[in-house]
């Protein structure tokens, strides 16, 4: 998997890889949320689809998290802004992880999966319009 991911970076920009990851995650979460009651009866398929969300999270946003600061920020402020970005990402992860269980209890697992789809699509949109890939 690492070789495929790293090999793809040469051909594709980190921005494009991140957009692919968010798009696939959004589609998978939407499928899981929409067909939750049916997928609970077909557990192998639910596990497969949910596992694919982890694959695309690692292929897209998790892979590019470490590359984007080097191509996004200028050398003079790169380390400072990279630290701020990392802190913001960790705060978002803490918020998401701590809100997952209460949201599932209050709204239901299917709605939480649809919320995850929405967040993934928002990530796709923000990457599309906010992440600049420099031209060589």
């Amino acid at each position: 998997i690492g070789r495929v991911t790293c090999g793809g970076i040469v051909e594709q920009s980190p921005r494009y890889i991140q957009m692919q990851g968010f798009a696939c995650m959004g589609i998978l979460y939407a499928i899981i949320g929409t067909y939750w009651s049916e997928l609970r009866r077909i557990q192998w398929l639910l596990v497969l689809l949910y596992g694919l969300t982890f694959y695309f999270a690692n292929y897209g946003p998790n892979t590019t998290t470490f590359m984007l600061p080097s191509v996004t920020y200028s050398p003079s402020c790169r380390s400072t802004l990279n630290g701020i970005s990392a802190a913001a990402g960790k705060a978002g992860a803490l918020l998401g992880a701590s809100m997952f269980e209460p949201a599932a209890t209050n709204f239901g697992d299917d709605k939480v999966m649809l919320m995850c789809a929405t967040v993934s699509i928002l990530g796709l949109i923000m990457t599309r319009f906010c992440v600049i890939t420099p031209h060589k």
Side-chain angles (χ1 to χ4, degrees), residues 69-82:
S70 65
V71 297
T72 303
Y73 303 129
S74 66
S76 62
C77 63
R78 186 174 296 155
S79 62
T80 301
L81 293 178
N82 188 17

Side-chain angles (χ1 to χ4, degrees), residues 60-133:
N62 288 350
T63 300
T64 57
T65 295
F66 305 103
M67 295 181 295
L68 280 175
S70 65
V71 297
T72 303
Y73 303 129
S74 66
S76 62
C77 63
R78 186 174 296 155
S79 62
T80 301
L81 293 178
N82 188 17
I84 292 170
S85 297
K90 292 194 185 324
L94 176 65
L95 179 67
S98 62
M99 295 304 294
F100 195 89
E101 182 61 33
T105 301
N106 291 331
F107 303 115
D109 293 327
D110 57 334
K111 301 295 187 284
V112 170
M113 292 296 132
L114 292 173
M115 289 179 207
C116 289
T118 303
V119 169
S120 296
I121 298 305
L122 288 173
L124 170 67
I125 293 167
M126 288 184 68
T127 302
R128 169 71 174 92
F129 292 108
C130 298
V131 176
I132 300 167
T133 301

Side-chain angles (χ1 to χ4, degrees), residues 33-54:
T34 303
Y35 298 105
W36 180 258
S37 58
E38 292 86 356
L39 288 171
R40 286 194 53 142
R41 291 190 296 271
I42 312 169
Q43 291 185 354
W44 68 268
L45 185 56
L46 176 59
V47 169
L48 176 69
L49 292 172
Y50 194 64
L52 283 171
T53 65
F54 283 95

